[in-house]
Amino acid sequence: MPKLARAISLGLLLCCTWPTASLAAAFSAQISRAGLIDHGKHLDISAQIEYRLSPTAKEALHKGVPLTWVVLVEIREVGRIWDHTVFRQELPYRLQFHALLRQYEVLTPERQSEMFLTLNAAMSFLANLRDTQPIPTKLLNSGRRYKLAVKCRFDRESLPVPLRPFTYMDSQWYLSSDWYICPIQR
C-alpha cells in the first residue's frame, strides 16, 4: 500500500507541474531572427526579440517594479571540439512603469530614456536590438567559420530583494530566451 500511495503522489505532482512548465515557455522571450549587417569596415548586429510578459510580471511592473533584461551577443569561432568566443557584449534594457505619469520608460544600454504611452509601444521599441557596439570586420578571419549567438536573459538580481526568492520558484518569472545561433556568412 505505501508503494501505491507514493506512485499516486508522484503522479499528482507530475500532473500539477507539467502545465506549469509549458506556461513558462509561453512567457519567455523569443528571438525570431538575428544577423550581422556588413558596413565595410565594421559589422552591426541586428536582432528581433519578442518579449512576452506573464500576468505576474505585468502586475509587478504596474506596481512600480522595474524589469531588466540583458541581451547577450557573442561571435564564436567554430572549433573542432568547442567554440572560441571572439566577441562578447552585454546590453541591459530596463522597462519601468511610472504610475504618476501613466507612462512606460525604457532605459537603453546607452543610458538613454525613452517614454511610451502604452505597454505595446514600449515592447515594440524593445523588440529591435540597437545600441550595439560596431564589430571591426578584421576580427573575423577569412577561411574560418563563425556563428552569431544571441540570448535574452531576464535579470532577477535587479529586482527588489524581497521579491527575488519568489522569482526562482514561480514559472511566471522565467522570462529569458534560449540561445539563438546562426552561422555567419562571409
Side-chain angles (χ1 to χ4, degrees), residues 33 35-40 42-46 135 137:
R33 69 168 177 77
L36 294 176
I37 301 169
D38 193 345
H39 294 287
H42 74 274
L43 304 166
D44 283 332
I45 298 164
S46 170
I135 304 162
T137 53

Side-chain angles (χ1 to χ4, degrees), residues 56-182:
T56 303
K58 278 184 188 176
E59 180 183 359
L61 177 67
H62 288 120
K63 289 184 178 181
V65 176
L67 306 178
T68 303
W69 288 268
V70 178
V71 179
L72 305 168
V73 178
E74 293 182 354
I75 295 180
R76 302 173 183 167
E77 183 179 354
V78 178
R80 289 184 182 170
I81 299 175
W82 58 79
D83 298 339
H84 172 70
T85 302
V86 295
F87 176 83
R88 180 177 169 84
Q89 185 176 19
E90 294 186 6
L91 303 164
Y93 289 91
R94 188 185 77 194
L95 174 65
Q96 186 170 9
F97 178 69
H98 296 283
L100 290 176
L101 299 173
R102 299 200 49 77
Q103 291 187 354
Y104 297 88
E105 177 189 25
V106 175
L107 189 65
T108 67
E110 301 285 319
R111 309 296 294 165
Q112 293 178 352
S113 175
E114 299 285 339
M115 300 297 284
F116 301 92
L117 294 174
T118 65
L119 179 58
N120 284 343
M123 299 304 263
S124 293
F125 178 80
L126 281 169
N128 295 308
L129 185 64
R130 58 182 60 78
D131 301 316
T132 63
Q133 72 183 57
I135 304 162
T137 53
K138 63 182 178 183
L139 190 67
L140 306 179
N141 299 321
S142 61
R144 304 229 176 144
R145 295 182 344 190
Y146 296 92
K147 56 186 170 183
L148 174 66
V150 180
K151 180 181 177 71
C152 184
R153 179 179 53 81
F154 180 68
D155 186 9
R156 290 183 174 107
E157 296 304 311
S158 67
L159 294 170
V161 174
L163 183 58
R164 287 183 205 164
F166 299 105
T167 64
Y168 287 99
M169 295 181 286
D170 187 352
S171 65
Q172 290 203 23
W173 285 101
Y174 296 162
L175 304 174
S176 299
S177 75
D178 292 329
W179 281 101
Y180 181 93
I181 298 174
C182 62

Side-chain angles (χ1 to χ4, degrees), residues 19-34:
T20 306
S22 65
L23 284 176
F27 302 124
S28 63
Q30 294 289 321
I31 301 171
S32 58
R33 69 168 177 77

